[in-house]
Amino acid sequence: MNWRALFKPSTKYSIAALLIVGIVIGVIGYFATQQTLHATSTDEFCMTCHSNHSLKDEVLASPHGGNEFGMVVQCQDCHLPHGPVDYLVKKIIVSKDLYGYLTIDNFNTQEWLDENRKEQADLALKYFHDNDSANCRHCHSRIEENQPESMSRMAKTMHSRNAAKDPEERKTCVDCHKGVAHPYPKN
Ligand code: HEC
Ligand code: HEC
Ligand code: HEC
Ligand code: HEC
């Protein structure tokens, strides 16, 4: 193989043809990745590593699993971002969990979760802080304005007051609403 030939313009194929082939491979690659990522985002996938943790039962027992609409909110609805790029970035961060899974002693036991609940909860909360609870807002889009008639007076007052504050002082959803899917540990 003559390596220098790699850097010379191709004589056999036109640049345009090579470009098209490149784009096609790129597009196929993009969709293949998306497919794999979506397959890895179901509750079942999350529960492969967290199978001995009470997380799924907790969701089912919460307003996000046992509400009047019969809608069970999926792990990914709350824990993974929506945009394709953000999604990839978070996936790559999550993949540190694979390392954790292999290296943390007794990780997949309820005892481990009970002991480490506070620390894990705060790690999870950091994500909601960093994106101003974007996942919550995705479903709850009428919190700060255009509030539904049915919303309690107390909720309306708290939400509108908070929305009127300067951005630095404004609280994000999870500052006031902890433990909406899992019991938030007291200490
Ligand atoms: C490969 C195994 C594995 C899979 C699959 C997995 N997790 Fe985890 N998860 C872990 C481990 C290990 C930790 C503890 C990480 C640590 O403390 O370093 C963890 C911690 C967490 C935390 C708390 C810490 C944080 O950074 O937020 C959340 C939330 C979480 N997982 C949600 C999920 C969701 C949602 C899914 C499905 C999209 C999922 N996990 C799939 C292994 C896994
Ligand atoms: C996939 C959509 C979805 C996502 C994501 C979501 N929720 Fe909900 N939420 C619901 C549904 C459906 C209900 C039950 C009906 C209702 O009370 O409005 C609910 C109920 C609630 C309630 C009322 C609880 C009660 O005691 O009645 C609060 C508070 C809440 N969600 C906060 C949050 C927060 C905070 C987040 C983000 C961490 C979030 N939600 C993410 C759909 C969602
Ligand atoms: C400053 C604190 C605060 C912030 C920030 C806040 N809430 Fe609330 N929220 C409350 C209070 C207080 C109530 C009324 C008591 C309750 O239902 O827990 C409430 C009620 C609710 C309810 C039930 C409303 C009803 O009566 O139907 C939902 C859903 C909700 N909040 C979602 C959210 C979401 C999503 C966000 C972020 C966009 C958010 N909240 C931000 C304090 C807050
Ligand atoms: C309605 C949104 C919502 C859903 C659905 C949800 N979570 Fe969470 N999760 C949160 C929030 C918010 C926290 C941060 C701690 C808190 O407020 O309880 C959290 C915390 C966690 C933690 C850290 C430990 C803890 O209990 O705090 C793990 C692990 C986790 N979630 C995994 C999952 C898995 C797995 C699923 C699906 C079976 C799931 N979550 C479904 C919102 C959600």
Side-chain angles (χ1 to χ4, degrees):
M1 173 85 196
N2 177 0
W3 291 103
R4 237 175 274 160
L6 273 182
F7 300 101
K8 279 195 201 144
S10 171
T11 44
K12 228 163 153 192
Y13 307 103
S14 76
I15 298 290
L18 288 177
L19 211 61
I20 289 166
V21 171
I23 290 170
V24 169
I25 292 174
V27 169
I28 293 172
Y30 176 79
F31 283 107
T33 320
Q34 286 294 308
Q35 283 290 317
T36 326
L37 288 176
H38 281 289
T40 55
S41 300
T42 58
D43 281 6
E44 287 75 37
F45 169 70
C46 304
M47 296 311 286
T48 50
C49 293
H50 292 278
S51 62
N52 294 318
H53 295 157
S54 49
L55 299 159
K56 176 89 190 185
D57 294 337
E58 292 161 4
V59 174
L60 291 174
S62 81
H64 289 102
N67 55 69
E68 58 186 301
F69 310 105
M71 172 191 194
V72 177
V73 181
Q74 302 282 295
C75 314
Q76 59 170 342
D77 292 333
C78 285
H79 288 290
L80 294 175
H82 287 281
V85 176
D86 300 345
Y87 190 69
L88 270 170
V89 171
K90 171 104 187 180
K91 275 292 187 183
I92 291 159
I93 298 169
V94 166
S95 62
K96 81 167 176 18
D97 288 359
L98 183 57
Y99 178 74
Y101 185 75
L102 298 171
T103 54
I104 301 172
D105 281 346
N106 302 320
F107 167 74
N108 194 5
T109 61
Q110 187 62 29
E111 290 72 36
W112 186 90
L113 182 63
D114 292 341
E115 258 165 48
N116 295 277
R117 183 78 87 157
K118 181 79 168 86
E119 182 199 300
Q120 292 296 307
D122 291 340
L123 279 172
L125 285 173
K126 188 178 181 305
Y127 166 69
F128 294 99
H129 273 282
D130 291 352
N131 67 8
D132 195 11
S133 309
N135 293 61
C136 314
R137 291 168 183 280
H138 192 80
C139 289
H140 296 282
S141 53
R142 295 170 66 192
I143 294 297
E144 283 158 359
E145 45 194 63
N146 190 22
Q147 292 153 323
E149 279 296 313
S150 60
M151 190 186 277
S152 76
R153 185 191 290 269
M154 156 92 134
K156 276 186 190 149
T157 311
M158 292 301 277
H159 293 153
S160 329
R161 264 199 214 145
N162 186 56
K165 287 186 177 155
D166 290 338
E168 313 85 63
E169 285 175 39
R170 205 175 293 155
K171 293 200 160 94
T172 192
C173 314
V174 295
D175 289 330
C176 296
H177 298 286
K178 287 204 172 54
V180 292
H182 325 278
Y184 184 73
K186 288 189 189 69
N187 43 46

